[in-house]
Short mmCIF file of all heavy atoms in Angstrom, two decimals:
data_model
loop_
_atom_site.label_atom_id
_atom_site.label_comp_id
_atom_site.label_asym_id
_atom_site.label_seq_id
_atom_site.Cartn_x
_atom_site.Cartn_y
_atom_site.Cartn_z
N GLY A 475 -5.60 -17.07 -45.67
CA GLY A 475 -6.60 -18.13 -45.69
C GLY A 475 -7.63 -17.73 -46.65
O GLY A 475 -7.62 -16.90 -47.53
N GLY A 476 -8.86 -18.29 -46.28
CA GLY A 476 -10.04 -17.86 -47.06
C GLY A 476 -9.95 -18.26 -48.54
O GLY A 476 -9.54 -19.34 -49.08
N GLN A 477 -10.12 -17.12 -49.45
CA GLN A 477 -10.08 -17.30 -50.76
C GLN A 477 -8.62 -17.21 -51.36
O GLN A 477 -8.41 -17.09 -52.44
CB GLN A 477 -11.06 -16.26 -51.46
CG GLN A 477 -10.59 -14.87 -51.06
CD GLN A 477 -11.61 -13.89 -51.73
OE1 GLN A 477 -11.75 -13.90 -53.02
NE2 GLN A 477 -12.07 -12.99 -51.02
N TYR A 478 -7.67 -17.11 -50.44
CA TYR A 478 -6.17 -17.01 -50.86
C TYR A 478 -5.39 -18.06 -50.24
O TYR A 478 -4.35 -17.92 -49.77
CB TYR A 478 -5.66 -15.65 -50.49
CG TYR A 478 -6.43 -14.57 -51.07
CD1 TYR A 478 -7.44 -13.88 -50.29
CD2 TYR A 478 -6.28 -14.08 -52.32
CE1 TYR A 478 -8.11 -12.78 -50.76
CE2 TYR A 478 -6.93 -12.98 -52.82
CZ TYR A 478 -7.81 -12.40 -52.05
OH TYR A 478 -8.67 -11.29 -52.57
N PRO A 479 -5.82 -19.47 -50.35
CA PRO A 479 -5.06 -20.58 -49.72
C PRO A 479 -3.79 -20.80 -50.32
O PRO A 479 -2.90 -21.30 -49.70
CB PRO A 479 -6.05 -21.62 -49.83
CG PRO A 479 -6.74 -21.42 -51.06
CD PRO A 479 -7.09 -19.93 -51.07
N ASP A 480 -3.52 -20.37 -51.57
CA ASP A 480 -2.27 -20.77 -52.16
C ASP A 480 -1.20 -19.64 -52.05
O ASP A 480 0.00 -19.84 -52.41
CB ASP A 480 -2.51 -20.96 -53.70
CG ASP A 480 -3.53 -22.09 -53.87
OD1 ASP A 480 -3.40 -23.08 -53.00
OD2 ASP A 480 -4.25 -22.05 -54.89
N LEU A 481 -1.53 -18.54 -51.50
CA LEU A 481 -0.49 -17.42 -51.26
C LEU A 481 0.47 -17.83 -50.18
O LEU A 481 0.14 -18.30 -49.21
CB LEU A 481 -1.13 -16.04 -50.92
CG LEU A 481 -1.83 -15.34 -51.95
CD1 LEU A 481 -2.57 -14.10 -51.34
CD2 LEU A 481 -1.13 -15.14 -53.25
N GLN A 482 1.81 -17.56 -50.45
CA GLN A 482 2.83 -17.89 -49.49
C GLN A 482 2.77 -16.82 -48.36
O GLN A 482 2.18 -15.70 -48.57
CB GLN A 482 4.22 -17.70 -50.14
CG GLN A 482 4.54 -18.80 -51.28
CD GLN A 482 4.56 -20.05 -50.41
OE1 GLN A 482 5.23 -20.35 -49.44
NE2 GLN A 482 4.01 -21.18 -51.10
N PRO A 483 3.21 -17.18 -47.26
CA PRO A 483 3.19 -16.12 -46.00
C PRO A 483 4.04 -15.07 -46.36
O PRO A 483 4.96 -15.10 -47.30
CB PRO A 483 3.86 -16.95 -44.94
CG PRO A 483 3.66 -18.40 -45.19
CD PRO A 483 3.71 -18.44 -46.75
N LEU A 484 3.49 -13.78 -46.03
CA LEU A 484 4.26 -12.58 -46.29
C LEU A 484 4.81 -12.00 -44.94
O LEU A 484 4.10 -12.01 -44.01
CB LEU A 484 3.29 -11.47 -46.95
CG LEU A 484 2.79 -11.85 -48.32
CD1 LEU A 484 1.86 -10.88 -48.79
CD2 LEU A 484 3.92 -11.99 -49.27
N GLU A 485 5.89 -11.39 -44.98
CA GLU A 485 6.52 -10.63 -43.93
C GLU A 485 6.36 -9.15 -44.27
O GLU A 485 6.94 -8.59 -45.20
CB GLU A 485 7.92 -11.06 -43.78
CG GLU A 485 8.63 -10.27 -42.47
CD GLU A 485 10.01 -10.66 -42.34
OE1 GLU A 485 10.41 -11.96 -42.31
OE2 GLU A 485 10.85 -9.80 -42.19
N ILE A 486 5.61 -8.35 -43.45
CA ILE A 486 5.24 -6.96 -43.62
C ILE A 486 6.49 -6.24 -42.93
O ILE A 486 6.66 -6.39 -41.66
CB ILE A 486 3.89 -6.48 -43.14
CG1 ILE A 486 2.90 -7.31 -43.92
CG2 ILE A 486 3.69 -5.09 -43.13
CD1 ILE A 486 1.43 -6.92 -43.51
N ASP A 487 7.13 -5.33 -43.63
CA ASP A 487 8.14 -4.49 -43.16
C ASP A 487 7.43 -3.08 -42.76
O ASP A 487 7.07 -2.28 -43.54
CB ASP A 487 9.17 -4.21 -44.26
CG ASP A 487 10.35 -3.32 -43.68
OD1 ASP A 487 10.14 -2.76 -42.63
OD2 ASP A 487 11.30 -3.39 -44.44
N PHE A 488 7.26 -3.02 -41.41
CA PHE A 488 6.39 -1.78 -40.89
C PHE A 488 7.25 -0.44 -41.19
O PHE A 488 6.74 0.59 -41.35
CB PHE A 488 6.22 -1.88 -39.42
CG PHE A 488 5.04 -2.71 -39.18
CD1 PHE A 488 5.20 -3.99 -38.51
CD2 PHE A 488 3.73 -2.41 -39.59
CE1 PHE A 488 4.13 -4.82 -38.25
CE2 PHE A 488 2.61 -3.28 -39.37
CZ PHE A 488 2.88 -4.54 -38.74
N SER A 489 8.58 -0.50 -41.15
CA SER A 489 9.38 0.69 -41.62
C SER A 489 9.02 1.24 -42.86
O SER A 489 8.87 2.45 -43.13
CB SER A 489 10.90 0.51 -41.21
OG SER A 489 11.30 -0.50 -42.21
N GLN A 490 8.89 0.24 -43.77
CA GLN A 490 8.67 0.56 -45.28
C GLN A 490 7.29 1.13 -45.38
O GLN A 490 6.99 2.04 -46.00
CB GLN A 490 8.85 -0.67 -46.07
CG GLN A 490 8.51 -0.32 -47.60
CD GLN A 490 8.53 -1.58 -48.50
OE1 GLN A 490 9.12 -2.53 -47.97
NE2 GLN A 490 8.08 -1.50 -49.64
N LEU A 491 6.41 0.38 -44.60
CA LEU A 491 4.94 0.87 -44.74
C LEU A 491 4.73 2.34 -44.16
O LEU A 491 4.02 3.15 -44.69
CB LEU A 491 3.96 -0.15 -43.92
CG LEU A 491 3.88 -1.47 -44.61
CD1 LEU A 491 3.15 -2.36 -43.68
CD2 LEU A 491 2.78 -1.23 -45.81
N HIS A 492 5.43 2.47 -43.08
CA HIS A 492 5.41 3.92 -42.38
C HIS A 492 5.81 4.94 -43.39
O HIS A 492 5.41 6.00 -43.47
CB HIS A 492 6.25 3.97 -41.26
CG HIS A 492 6.10 5.19 -40.38
ND1 HIS A 492 4.99 5.61 -39.63
CD2 HIS A 492 7.14 6.16 -40.29
CE1 HIS A 492 5.30 6.85 -39.24
NE2 HIS A 492 6.47 7.12 -39.54
N SER A 493 6.92 4.60 -44.09
CA SER A 493 7.46 5.66 -45.03
C SER A 493 6.67 5.84 -46.31
O SER A 493 6.53 6.94 -46.77
CB SER A 493 8.92 5.20 -45.50
OG SER A 493 8.89 4.01 -46.21
N GLU A 494 5.89 4.86 -46.61
CA GLU A 494 5.01 4.91 -47.85
C GLU A 494 3.78 5.73 -47.49
O GLU A 494 3.50 6.74 -47.95
CB GLU A 494 4.57 3.42 -48.36
CG GLU A 494 5.84 2.70 -49.00
CD GLU A 494 6.25 3.38 -50.26
OE1 GLU A 494 5.33 3.80 -51.02
OE2 GLU A 494 7.36 3.26 -50.59
N GLN A 495 2.91 5.21 -46.47
CA GLN A 495 1.76 5.89 -46.01
C GLN A 495 0.94 6.43 -47.08
O GLN A 495 0.49 7.56 -47.05
CB GLN A 495 2.15 6.95 -45.02
CG GLN A 495 2.48 6.27 -43.76
CD GLN A 495 2.42 7.31 -42.48
OE1 GLN A 495 2.35 8.42 -42.83
NE2 GLN A 495 2.33 6.81 -41.26
N ARG A 496 0.67 5.65 -48.13
CA ARG A 496 -0.11 6.07 -49.19
C ARG A 496 -0.84 4.98 -49.75
O ARG A 496 -0.27 3.85 -49.98
CB ARG A 496 0.46 6.95 -50.23
CG ARG A 496 1.45 6.20 -51.07
CD ARG A 496 1.97 7.07 -52.26
NE ARG A 496 2.79 6.33 -53.19
CZ ARG A 496 3.99 6.13 -53.15
NH1 ARG A 496 4.75 6.61 -52.01
NH2 ARG A 496 4.63 5.36 -53.99
N GLU A 497 -2.16 5.06 -50.33
CA GLU A 497 -2.78 4.09 -50.85
C GLU A 497 -2.53 4.12 -52.37
O GLU A 497 -2.42 5.31 -52.98
CB GLU A 497 -4.30 4.04 -50.69
CG GLU A 497 -4.76 3.72 -49.30
CD GLU A 497 -6.11 3.49 -49.08
OE1 GLU A 497 -6.80 2.65 -49.74
OE2 GLU A 497 -6.66 4.30 -48.32
N THR A 498 -2.42 3.07 -53.09
CA THR A 498 -2.20 3.09 -54.47
C THR A 498 -3.49 2.53 -55.31
O THR A 498 -3.43 1.27 -55.84
CB THR A 498 -1.08 2.32 -54.78
OG1 THR A 498 -1.21 0.85 -54.35
CG2 THR A 498 0.21 2.80 -54.20
N GLY A 499 -4.58 3.24 -55.17
CA GLY A 499 -5.74 2.84 -55.84
C GLY A 499 -6.41 1.51 -55.22
O GLY A 499 -6.34 1.31 -53.95
N ASP A 500 -6.58 0.56 -56.04
CA ASP A 500 -7.27 -0.77 -55.55
C ASP A 500 -6.04 -1.62 -55.26
O ASP A 500 -6.37 -2.76 -54.71
CB ASP A 500 -8.06 -1.50 -56.60
CG ASP A 500 -9.37 -0.60 -56.84
OD1 ASP A 500 -9.82 0.17 -55.86
OD2 ASP A 500 -9.83 -0.70 -57.96
N LEU A 501 -4.79 -1.26 -55.49
CA LEU A 501 -3.71 -2.16 -55.24
C LEU A 501 -3.28 -2.31 -53.82
O LEU A 501 -2.56 -3.11 -53.33
CB LEU A 501 -2.44 -1.84 -56.09
CG LEU A 501 -2.81 -1.91 -57.55
CD1 LEU A 501 -1.62 -1.49 -58.36
CD2 LEU A 501 -3.00 -3.27 -57.99
N GLY A 502 -3.60 -1.32 -52.97
CA GLY A 502 -3.30 -1.16 -51.67
C GLY A 502 -1.93 -0.69 -51.23
O GLY A 502 -1.50 0.28 -51.79
N TYR A 503 -1.12 -1.36 -50.53
CA TYR A 503 0.26 -0.87 -50.10
C TYR A 503 1.28 -1.84 -50.48
O TYR A 503 1.16 -2.99 -50.59
CB TYR A 503 0.29 -0.66 -48.50
CG TYR A 503 -0.48 0.35 -47.94
CD1 TYR A 503 -1.82 0.53 -47.82
CD2 TYR A 503 0.25 1.55 -47.58
CE1 TYR A 503 -2.42 1.62 -47.35
CE2 TYR A 503 -0.41 2.68 -47.03
CZ TYR A 503 -1.69 2.70 -46.95
OH TYR A 503 -2.24 3.80 -46.39
N GLN A 504 2.51 -1.13 -50.68
CA GLN A 504 3.58 -2.07 -51.00
C GLN A 504 4.16 -2.63 -49.69
O GLN A 504 4.26 -1.94 -48.68
CB GLN A 504 4.78 -1.23 -51.67
CG GLN A 504 4.46 -0.76 -53.03
CD GLN A 504 4.38 -1.75 -54.08
OE1 GLN A 504 5.12 -2.85 -53.93
NE2 GLN A 504 3.32 -1.73 -54.96
N VAL A 505 4.49 -3.88 -49.64
CA VAL A 505 5.00 -4.50 -48.46
C VAL A 505 6.27 -5.21 -48.82
O VAL A 505 6.76 -5.39 -49.89
CB VAL A 505 3.93 -5.53 -47.80
CG1 VAL A 505 2.69 -4.75 -47.46
CG2 VAL A 505 3.58 -6.63 -48.82
N ALA A 506 6.89 -5.87 -47.78
CA ALA A 506 8.09 -6.50 -47.90
C ALA A 506 8.07 -7.84 -48.63
O ALA A 506 6.90 -8.30 -49.01
CB ALA A 506 8.82 -6.58 -46.59
N HIS A 507 9.15 -8.59 -48.70
CA HIS A 507 9.20 -9.84 -49.55
C HIS A 507 8.53 -10.90 -48.80
O HIS A 507 8.53 -10.88 -47.61
CB HIS A 507 10.68 -10.10 -49.67
CG HIS A 507 11.45 -10.33 -48.43
ND1 HIS A 507 11.45 -11.61 -47.88
CD2 HIS A 507 12.03 -9.59 -47.62
CE1 HIS A 507 12.18 -11.57 -46.67
NE2 HIS A 507 12.59 -10.19 -46.55
N PRO A 508 8.06 -11.87 -49.47
CA PRO A 508 7.51 -13.15 -48.96
C PRO A 508 8.57 -13.73 -48.13
O PRO A 508 9.72 -13.92 -48.51
CB PRO A 508 6.96 -13.84 -50.09
CG PRO A 508 6.90 -13.00 -51.26
CD PRO A 508 7.93 -11.89 -51.02
N VAL A 509 8.09 -14.60 -47.03
CA VAL A 509 9.03 -15.41 -46.28
C VAL A 509 9.37 -16.63 -47.12
O VAL A 509 8.43 -17.20 -47.86
CB VAL A 509 8.29 -15.76 -44.97
CG1 VAL A 509 9.33 -16.63 -44.14
CG2 VAL A 509 8.10 -14.49 -44.23
#
Side-chain angles (χ1 to χ4, degrees):
Q477 60 181 305
Y478 301 96
D480 299 325
L481 286 180
Q482 292 292 317
L484 294 179
E485 180 176 313
I486 295 181
D487 183 342
F488 282 114
S489 63
Q490 178 184 345
L491 284 166
H492 182 72
S493 63
E494 291 289 329
Q495 285 197 346
R496 70 174 187 273
E497 291 190 62
T498 56
D500 292 333
L501 296 179
Y503 281 79
Q504 294 293 323
V505 299
H507 63 88
V509 177

